[in-house]
Amino acid sequence: MDYKDTLLLPTTQFPMRGNLPQNEQQRFKKWYSEPKVYDKIKEKRAKTSVTFNIHDGPPYANGHLHIGHALNKILKDIITKTHYFFGENVRYLPGWDCHGLPIEQQVEVSLGEKKKDVSKVEIRELCRKHAQKFIEIQKDEFKSMGIIGDWGNPYLTLKFKFEARIYKSLCDIAKKGLLIQRSKPVFWSWAAKSALAEAEVEYKDKEDYSVFVAFDLGKEANEKIGAKNAKAVIWTTTPWTLVANQAISLNPNEEYVLTSDNLIFAKKLLENAKNEGITNGEVAKVFASKELENLYAINPLNARKSTFILGEHVLMDGGSGLVHTAPGHGEDDYQVSLKYGIEVIMPVDEEGRYDNTLKIKGLLPENICDEFIGLHIFKANERILELLGDHLLKQSNFTHSYPFCWRTHKPVIYRATKQWFIAMDEPKLDGKTLREVALNELNNVKFYPQAGKNRITSMIENRPDWCISRQRDWGVPIAFFIDKTTLEPIFDDDILNHVYDIFEKEGADAWWSKEISELLPKNSNYNPSNLEKVTDILDVWFDSGSTWNAVLTTDDYDAGSYKADMYLEGSDQHRGWFQSSLLVSCAINGHAPYKNILTHGFTVDEKGQKMSKSVGNVVAPDDVAKQYGIEILRLWVGMSDYSSDLKISDNILKQISEQYRKVRNTIRFLLANVCDLDDIYTNFTELDKWILTRAKVVFDETYSCFKNYEYSKGFNALLNFLSSDLSGIYLDICKDRLYCDKVDSDRRRSAQSTMAIITRSLLPLIAPVLTYTVDEVMDYAPDIIKNGANDAFDLVYKPLEYEFNSDIGSGLEARAKFFEIIDSLKKQKIISSTLELCMQTTSSELLSLDLEEIMDWFMVSEMKTYDNSEGLAEFVVDNYKFKLLKSNLHKCPRCWKYQAKEEGELCHRCEKVMKNA
């Protein structure tokens, strides 16, 4: 007789294969249709007092999404859902940065020659349309990743009310006295024709000149050190700045030497000069740097005086110890020149070309000025060196780290221009500086990982004043009026509020489309003809740095409260968005805008190399979705240590897919085997007690890890449990009682109840990461699993309540050794199944338990006390002996255990089941 039909085999419609690429998008569309899942999750937790919100760091509305975007948004989604499935009331409002240079450049490229005939307002409208186009593209791409949020009302920095709110933030800072305007060298992108903030600069290797140039000493300087025709030897890597030289800086604490060949060096760097082949002279005189202070040398390019000044910035780690100083071209040069009242000369225009200042200031001989005016500075180096003649003592090339514009990827320069700054060191905040307030607030923020605090602290400690002005068209204007008489900005409340009201209704374009008289409030005391507009726009980092003020402190969005519970971005945002948000919030409110900061690394290939189209190692999220499914991408995020760079490749995704397959199949087995369970039975066996206790330990650990955003650690523990303890031991053992016991046997119902209890906790525990899968599971789950829930979003994680002191767990080591021996016996073809065996042991602890349980634990057919009979194999664990023998009983044709008394007969258990069938 074929007994297969008498077995209680598992039954479920939950498919073994997920077919994720084919099925995911249908479910995602359902989430975003009516009723929207996001609305449901807000409603489900509406009465919950514990809240959580992530304030979204805005992606830039330009271009399609890359794998870094996917990592960022999926991690935000996982964390938001973690708080939701753990019972909290959550908010997630996505947003976009919409202003800035890349969009403007795209519009300029599309306009081509027509640009010169297009007004600022028309340029801005084209930029607005470009941004809106990519907002919709990126929104659809994010939604296709299953990201849940308020997609119906995202925040956009180009909205009229938003632009007005950004402007209000600027006004609030101005009224605090922290906004200053001054001419100062700043990072300047000649390619973008705009000033840059420190956060917009990246460093790359660049080859430059290394030149030593001799400046003849003036008469007074020669006399002071008792020399004739001495020369000060300066060192520079930017020959093009020599035309703007105003001074030579010496270290105030160092001694200098005059050599026998009439050259001046720092004493400590004379040997360096000899090694460079600049001099063979010996020391003729040693003198203090102060001897030359306020005297002068002669610039060989233009015969202008170059004043000797003293500065701590002059180092003794290379060069000559005499620093060429052009205050318009360097921060140190500017600061030290400021002390001496030295004029800032700037002969370079916004495109990086020499301008008419060369003639006006006599920076080059008149007969060659025309050759240089209009010439790009980087193309002038060779001609400058040629003009130096014999004064050029040595030239060579070297490669060093140099600042580049991270938008145009072109090298930047220092260029003195009139810019707007937020002052870091003005004591305007209740007697404290912005730097002091920001640093203090960082102590109230929790960082994941903790090292992030040191990073941003160091940056705040060392950052200069924040240059917030840009000389472009597409952005929020620095909408202030300048009094033509006093040249001072006007921060009159009535005017500022009136402009704010106009922006709120008409957008910031009004600053350009309206006359000054239209921008002033009625009955204003100011004469429009005596005013002029500031035409600069705000650094886009100011836009994003003030998003908290538009999103979290107004009624325009349902995004949670200020302070945000979390800001979450890549580690590069310590110098970017985290910092700009901190400074704006501290300047206005005296507080950081966030309670927690979490940072993730960058995506790299499996060798740890940066992704590049030219190298061919780019992994596109759309390609992953089509080949593997978004759920695999989500599991990759969940299983990766985001605190460092995250490796991704086809091989890695295949490994993640295999992990997913194991999880899915485990869940499928659990569903299939509780299909006929109608209630939870708590008369647990030893085996059930053991797995419930193990599950509680692991689930508690995983829960703790997830609460602390340690997903990789949590998933390692969870997946190991699912694979080893649950699937590898418990479920494998339980097959016999599930399939072969009578339908309502205590052992079967106990095992089923155990599986149901574990599944109920497992699903909401993994739902933050595998949301799609858990939602799919709920379509097929029996009522005992659903427990009143209809879909994944009805679930809430509750820790397992069951914990026992199960003795059977003490047999883990014995079980492991047992199966090592079984592998050998099978290879030798001595046995084909463990069920052929009888086990003997001296362990009174195991023998005191239910023998059926112990037999199932080892998956043998008999369990006896150890005797002196000869066996197939023996092993020892904790001084207890174990012996394996062939069973003397016969194989039951129904359950295959060797417990039948006669060949072909049923065992006692199966015989009883069949009689009652």
Side-chain angles (χ1 to χ4, degrees):
M1 177 181 176
D2 186 355
Y3 289 100
K4 183 179 180 181
D5 292 338
T6 72
L7 301 178
L8 300 170
L9 296 177
T11 303
T12 183
Q13 296 299 310
F14 181 62
M16 182 181 295
R17 299 178 66 85
N19 291 323
L20 300 176
Q22 291 75 36
N23 298 332
E24 282 176 333
Q25 293 309 315
Q26 295 174 14
R27 188 169 296 271
F28 294 159
K29 286 176 184 176
K30 179 183 173 185
W31 289 354
Y32 308 129
S33 63
E34 298 296 339
K36 293 182 176 67
V37 162
Y38 184 69
D39 292 336
K40 175 176 179 173
I41 67 176
K42 288 200 297 182
E43 184 181 340
K44 291 288 289 186
R45 304 283 190 267
K47 296 180 181 178
T48 305
S49 59
V50 182
T51 61
F52 176 83
N53 68 323
I54 290 178
H55 179 46
D56 195 28
Y60 194 63
N62 189 34
H64 289 271
L65 302 180
H66 54 68
I67 197 69
H69 289 119
L71 161 64
N72 179 264
K73 274 292 195 288
I74 288 172
L75 187 54
K76 288 173 181 172
D77 190 60
I78 288 173
I79 288 176
T80 301
K81 286 176 180 169
T82 296
H83 285 269
Y84 174 75
F85 285 110
F86 289 177
E88 296 177 29
N89 189 353
V90 299
R91 293 292 183 275
Y92 176 63
L93 178 82
W96 273 271
D97 253 342
C98 308
H99 299 123
L101 180 63
I103 290 173
E104 191 173 341
Q105 286 178 324
Q106 289 291 321
V107 168
E108 287 177 348
V109 169
S110 66
L111 285 172
E113 289 298 314
K114 296 178 184 176
K115 181 183 182 295
K116 61 180 180 293
D117 301 319
V118 179
S119 69
K120 272 183 180 283
V121 172
E122 289 172 319
I123 286 277
R124 288 174 61 83
E125 181 56 30
L126 291 170
C127 289
R128 190 179 299 277
K129 288 179 178 177
H130 180 94
Q132 288 169 330
K133 170 188 171 184
F134 278 99
I135 287 165
E136 292 307 312
I137 288 172
Q138 292 184 359
K139 184 193 296 184
D140 288 342
E141 291 174 341
F142 280 133
K143 288 167 74 174
S144 73
M145 296 176 191
I147 311 297
I148 292 175
D150 192 355
W151 295 109
N153 185 35
Y155 78 79
L156 312 175
T157 58
L158 55 65
K159 287 182 178 179
F160 292 171
K161 279 190 172 184
F162 212 108
E163 289 182 331
R165 199 70 185 178
I166 294 168
Y167 174 65
K168 186 178 188 307
S169 297
L170 176 67
C171 294
D172 288 345
I173 291 172
K175 286 186 282 188
K176 291 280 182 79
L178 292 173
L179 192 64
I180 54 177
Q181 189 184 32
R182 65 169 181 260
S183 183
K184 182 177 180 289
V186 293
F187 284 123
W188 184 270
S189 173
W190 49 267
K193 294 185 285 188
S194 180
L196 298 178
E198 192 176 16
E200 295 173 297
V201 172
E202 61 187 8
Y203 287 83
K204 300 179 184 179
D205 285 346
K206 180 178 181 289
E207 186 177 71
D208 268 323
Y209 286 96
S210 168
V211 299
F212 291 86
V213 181
F215 278 48
D216 293 330
L217 261 61
K219 180 182 176 184
E220 293 87 347
N222 270 308
E223 290 174 352
K224 184 71 173 179
I225 62 171
K228 289 184 179 180
N229 304 320
K231 294 177 173 62
V233 180
I234 64 95
W235 175 73
T236 184
T237 61
T238 54
W240 61 268
T241 64
L242 286 170
V243 297
N245 172 275
Q246 289 283 79
I248 296 173
S249 297
L250 311 178
N251 188 300
N253 307 311
E254 297 291 339
E255 291 183 321
Y256 284 76
V257 297
L258 173 69
T259 64
S260 55
D261 51 358
N262 265 353
L263 300 178
I264 296 173
F265 302 94
K267 183 179 180 182
K268 287 180 180 176
L269 290 170
L270 179 58
E271 285 303 313
N272 181 64
K274 289 182 177 180
N275 293 336
E276 292 277 358
I278 300 167
T279 180
N280 291 316
E282 297 303 320
V283 176
K285 182 174 183 177
V286 178
F287 59 93
S289 56
K290 191 168 180 60
E291 294 289 303
L292 289 177
E293 186 178 18
N294 291 317
L295 302 178
Y296 64 89
I298 306 297
N299 186 336
L301 285 175
N302 52 29
R304 286 169 55 90
K305 292 181 178 180
S306 182
T307 307
F308 287 108
I309 58 179
L310 306 182
E312 301 279 354
H313 68 288
V314 180
L315 304 178
M316 297 293 118
D317 56 356
S320 64
L322 295 88
V323 174
H324 150 58
T325 301
H329 289 300
E331 177 71 23
D332 289 333
D333 294 21
Y334 172 80
Q335 294 294 348
V336 71
S337 297
L338 201 61
K339 295 177 183 177
Y340 286 87
I342 292 173
E343 180 188 9
V344 176
I345 293 177
M346 178 42 56
V348 180
D349 70 13
E350 62 179 9
E351 294 182 329
R353 303 175 189 279
Y354 288 120
D355 63 19
N356 227 29
T357 309
L358 293 179
K359 276 187 178 178
I360 296 169
K361 293 290 185 180
L363 304 185
L364 282 172
E366 192 170 346
N367 63 317
I368 61 171
C369 269
D370 288 340
E371 176 189 341
F372 282 84
I373 293 172
L375 180 67
H376 197 281
I377 51 174
F378 289 162
K379 293 181 179 179
N381 283 320
E382 291 79 4
R383 183 70 174 117
I384 294 288
L385 296 178
E386 186 181 325
L387 291 173
L388 288 170
D390 292 342
H391 289 87
L392 177 61
L393 302 183
K394 182 178 181 179
Q395 77 171 75
S396 59
N397 293 80
F398 80 116
T399 299
H400 65 145
S401 181
Y402 190 89
F404 279 70
C405 172
W406 78 340
R407 298 292 193 195
T408 65
H409 306 294
K410 301 290 186 184
V412 303
I413 60 174
Y414 262 108
R415 178 172 179 263
T417 56
K418 207 162 192 179
Q419 301 291 343
W420 293 88
F421 297 86
I422 293 177
M424 294 297 296
D425 297 308
E426 293 287 332
K428 301 289 187 177
L429 303 174
D430 294 329
K432 294 182 179 179
T433 68
L434 178 55
R435 193 187 309 276
E436 289 171 336
V437 173
L439 289 172
N440 183 63
E441 275 298 295
L442 290 176
N443 294 322
N444 301 322
V445 178
K446 189 168 184 180
F447 287 83
Y448 302 89
Q450 180 60 28
K453 181 183 179 183
N454 296 334
R455 190 162 185 234
I456 192 171
T457 296
S458 175
M459 290 175 175
I460 295 292
E461 284 174 342
N462 297 298
R463 69 159 296 138
D465 292 341
W466 180 8
C467 177
I468 61 167
S469 48
R470 298 292 179 272
Q471 291 68 48
R472 302 295 301 186
D473 296 335
W474 181 226
V476 175
I478 299 178
F480 300 133
F481 295 113
I482 302 294
D483 186 312
K484 291 180 182 178
T485 306
T486 65
L487 300 181
E488 291 295 321
I490 295 169
F491 296 142
D492 178 273
D493 274 345
D494 289 341
I495 293 178
L496 300 182
N497 292 336
H498 186 66
V499 172
Y500 170 80
D501 290 340
I502 291 172
F503 284 5
E504 196 171 41
K505 295 181 181 70
E506 303 177 38
D509 289 3
W511 188 247
W512 289 275
S513 63
K514 290 182 178 294
E515 298 296 328
I516 292 177
S517 58
E518 298 175 281
L519 293 164
L520 292 173
K522 289 181 179 179
N523 305 318
S524 173
N525 294 324
Y526 290 90
N527 181 356
S529 63
N530 196 43
L531 303 177
E532 63 182 12
K533 297 176 185 176
V534 174
T535 57
D536 293 343
I537 62 168
L538 279 167
D539 168 16
V540 74
W541 286 110
F542 190 94
D543 284 23
S544 57
S546 58
T547 53
W548 59 267
N549 204 4
V551 174
L552 302 179
T553 65
T554 70
D555 296 328
D556 295 332
Y557 304 96
D558 181 17
S561 59
Y562 169 90
K563 306 175 176 183
D565 289 291
M566 179 174 285
Y567 274 36
L568 187 169
E569 299 301 327
S571 55
D572 58 330
Q573 296 307 320
H574 288 115
R575 67 171 184 157
W577 189 54
F578 298 150
Q579 197 173 142
S580 65
S581 300
L582 176 69
L583 295 180
V584 174
S585 185
C586 285
I588 296 172
N589 292 336
H591 297 290
Y594 36 66
K595 299 174 186 175
N596 300 277
I597 281 182
L598 186 145
T599 50
H600 58 75
F602 299 102
T603 52
V604 295
D605 68 15
E606 62 185 333
K607 296 178 182 176
Q609 300 298 309
K610 184 179 179 180
M611 291 190 182
S612 163
K613 288 183 180 178
S614 60
V615 176
N617 62 350
V618 171
V619 177
D622 188 52
D623 293 339
V624 177
K626 289 175 181 175
Q627 184 174 355
Y628 295 100
I630 289 297
E631 201 78 331
I632 303 305
L633 199 57
R634 292 179 67 88
L635 188 55
W636 165 73
V637 174
M639 292 184 65
S640 299
D641 179 4
Y642 60 75
S643 64
S644 57
D645 288 347
L646 290 81
K647 294 181 179 180
I648 188 169
S649 68
D650 196 53
N651 286 331
I652 290 170
L653 289 168
K654 284 177 182 176
Q655 294 169 23
I656 299 293
S657 296
E658 181 59 23
Q659 291 283 6
Y660 174 78
R661 186 188 65 80
K662 290 178 180 177
V663 173
R664 186 180 181 94
N665 285 346
T666 299
I667 293 172
R668 185 173 185 273
F669 186 89
L670 291 166
L671 296 181
N673 281 286
V674 298
C675 59
D676 59 0
L677 183 66
D678 56 5
D679 201 0
I680 298 295
Y681 297 77
T682 56
N683 186 23
F684 300 116
T685 67
E686 283 298 316
L687 185 61
D688 301 328
K689 291 177 181 178
W690 169 75
I691 197 63
L692 284 169
T693 303
R694 284 291 301 135
K696 177 169 177 54
V697 169
V698 174
F699 286 11
D700 285 354
E701 179 186 352
T702 303
Y703 172 80
S704 177
C705 287
F706 287 2
K707 283 282 283 185
N708 288 295
Y709 316 119
E710 296 176 320
Y711 292 100
S712 175
K713 182 179 176 183
F715 261 109
N716 280 331
L718 184 61
L719 294 178
N720 182 63
F721 165 77
L722 294 179
S723 176
S724 299
D725 293 342
L726 186 63
S727 295
I729 298 178
Y730 180 76
L731 298 182
D732 202 28
I733 290 172
C734 283
K735 288 176 183 176
D736 174 72
R737 63 189 67 182
L738 290 169
Y739 303 169
C740 302
D741 276 13
K742 66 176 181 175
V743 67
D744 58 350
S745 76
D746 288 345
R747 288 201 323 161
R748 185 170 185 273
R749 288 304 191 208
S750 172
Q752 287 181 303
S753 297
T754 299
M755 292 180 192
I757 290 166
I758 289 173
T759 307
R760 284 180 181 179
S761 284
L762 174 64
L763 293 178
L765 189 58
I766 63 172
V769 176
L770 300 178
T771 319
Y772 167 87
T773 301
V774 173
D775 202 38
E776 184 190 8
V777 166
M778 296 302 286
D779 287 349
Y780 299 95
D783 290 342
I784 196 70
I785 297 296
K786 288 186 175 181
N787 198 26
N790 293 314
D791 58 35
F793 302 98
D794 287 331
L795 299 175
V796 60
Y797 177 75
K798 294 178 181 177
L800 284 171
E801 299 174 358
Y802 301 97
E803 191 169 15
F804 306 94
N805 293 319
S806 174
D807 292 328
I808 202 168
S810 63
L812 272 173
E813 187 179 350
R815 193 176 191 277
K817 284 208 172 184
F818 167 77
F819 277 100
E820 286 178 14
I821 291 171
I822 292 303
D823 285 343
S824 175
L825 294 176
K826 285 183 176 180
K827 285 178 183 176
Q828 297 175 57
K829 297 186 178 180
I830 295 173
I831 62 167
S832 58
S833 167
T834 58
L835 294 175
E836 298 173 34
L837 297 174
C838 167
M839 176 181 277
Q840 294 182 354
T841 182
T842 60
S843 173
S844 56
E845 185 179 4
L846 287 177
L847 290 170
S848 67
L849 300 174
D850 184 329
L851 288 185
E852 285 289 331
E853 289 288 285
I854 302 305
M855 285 188 281
D856 285 350
W857 180 251
F858 290 102
M859 301 180 77
V860 297
S861 292
E862 293 183 82
M863 195 76 193
K864 295 181 177 179
T865 303
Y866 190 92
D867 62 25
N868 293 321
S869 59
E870 187 174 346
L872 301 175
E874 291 193 30
F875 61 93
V876 177
V877 175
D878 292 336
N879 296 320
Y880 293 120
K881 294 180 181 179
F882 292 83
K883 181 164 55 178
L884 305 181
L885 307 89
K886 280 258 190 169
S887 174
N888 293 322
L889 296 174
H890 299 278
K891 181 179 181 180
C892 171
R894 183 170 179 271
C895 69
W896 296 1
K897 283 187 175 181
Y898 280 70
Q899 293 182 344
K901 293 180 180 178
E902 300 293 337
E903 185 73 30
E905 287 186 0
L906 295 175
C907 67
H908 176 70
R909 186 262 311 258
C910 289
E911 185 177 11
K912 190 175 179 181
V913 170
M914 290 299 292
K915 280 182 180 179
N916 294 324

